Amino acid sequence: MKKLSIRVIIGLFFSVIGLVSLLFTRDALMAAIWLSFGNGLVLSDLRFTGVDEAGRTYEKPIPKARTFTALFLIVLAVLLLAFQIFMDMNR
């Protein structure tokens, strides 16, 4: 793994924000939104390298299950954000 992409770095940043918001504010819904979106970004673009029989390194493709999980997490973050807005508007 030579370098991290911008999406992975942003995803890690969002995950850190979610963890910090959970530890300091104890607001589980807001932390779940940040963590879900951040982990979805990390899963969608994190790439690993492997070594073939000839000793050359190559970039492994992203498995479909990981792509579907990343999409699910991003959609879940949007749904949780809509739920948070709905809850705030009803107070």
Side-chain angles (χ1 to χ4, degrees):
M1 194 163 57
K2 293 180 186 174
K3 56 184 174 181
L4 298 175
S5 69
I6 295 297
R7 273 196 283 181
V8 172
I9 293 171
I10 292 171
L12 290 173
F13 180 68
F14 284 166
S15 295
V16 167
I17 290 173
L19 180 63
V20 169
S21 71
L22 180 63
L23 294 176
F24 288 138
T25 66
R26 306 267 192 240
D27 186 9
L29 184 59
M30 187 57 68
I33 293 167
W34 285 103
L35 285 168
S36 179
F37 190 70
N39 289 335
L41 284 176
V42 170
L43 281 177
S44 70
D45 202 42
L46 187 62
R47 298 181 187 270
F48 297 107
T49 57
V51 179
D52 62 2
E53 299 85 26
R56 295 178 300 231
T57 60
Y58 68 97
E59 196 170 275
K60 293 181 181 179
I62 298 174
K64 286 188 187 254
R66 202 171 86 186
T67 303
F68 292 142
T69 304
L71 289 174
F72 171 74
L73 286 172
I74 292 171
V75 169
L76 180 66
V78 171
L79 292 175
L80 287 173
L81 183 60
F83 181 66
Q84 177 75 36
I85 292 169
F86 175 74
M87 296 287 288
D88 288 342
M89 296 298 269
N90 283 337
R91 276 192 222 180

